[in-house]
Amino acid sequence: MTKGPRNPERSFGLSVGTVLILVAAALVWRGRLTTAAVVGGVGVLLVLLGYLQPLWLKWPSKAWWTLAMALGYVNARVILSIVFFILLTPMGLIWRLIGRDPLARRRSSWTGWVAYPERYNDRAHFTRMY
């Protein structure tokens, strides 16, 4: 299991509050002042609580992290599946049809001999291999 932040309540208040303030700024820019006031007010409240009283954010933070973990679990599988089936599978089929072998795994593209690097002839090379 992954380790979360050291103080998840403070992290929740500051990060979510900051994002809400940025969203409110974008709403002001687009002329939606009422919505911006509500979103900005919640954002400022979260930032202030995150700085001053992070323990008051225990339950909202717990709910947020639970939702985030569930969304992350689902999204990772959905996004990776979409990428695999829409991008990688057709690309692999096309490469197979045109005979491309980027890893040179076919016997016809492997010569059977790998040139011995000249630097291996010097014994000093083996004292500092990394």
Side-chain angles (χ1 to χ4, degrees):
M1 183 167 193
T2 61
K3 255 181 109 172
R6 196 175 73 218
N7 189 343
E9 293 84 15
R10 174 165 285 159
S11 173
F12 165 74
L14 297 179
S15 60
V16 174
T18 302
V19 168
L20 288 177
I21 291 170
L22 292 173
V23 168
L27 288 171
V28 167
W29 180 62
R30 293 185 52 121
R32 298 194 172 139
L33 300 178
T34 307
T35 309
V38 172
V39 172
V42 172
V44 169
L45 180 68
L46 285 175
V47 168
L48 287 175
L49 287 176
Y51 273 124
L52 302 175
Q53 289 293 331
L55 289 179
W56 288 4
L57 297 173
K58 180 179 180 181
W59 294 110
S61 172
K62 188 171 179 65
W64 178 263
W65 283 104
T66 303
L67 176 69
M69 295 302 280
L71 284 175
Y73 181 84
V74 171
N75 283 341
R77 277 127 187 99
V78 168
I79 291 170
L80 288 175
S81 297
I82 288 171
V83 167
F84 183 80
F85 288 113
I86 292 181
L87 184 71
L88 295 177
T89 302
M91 190 170 69
L93 292 173
I94 291 169
W95 280 4
R96 188 172 285 226
L97 287 173
I98 64 173
R100 179 156 184 214
D101 188 18
L103 297 177
R105 292 177 38 174
R106 289 197 188 100
R107 190 174 282 284
S108 63
S109 57
W110 184 58
T111 62
W113 178 258
V114 177
Y116 191 76
E118 188 62 35
R119 64 185 175 162
Y120 291 168
N121 289 332
D122 183 15
R123 288 185 180 266
H125 167 75
F126 295 104
T127 59
R128 290 190 54 168
M129 293 174 60
Y130 306 105

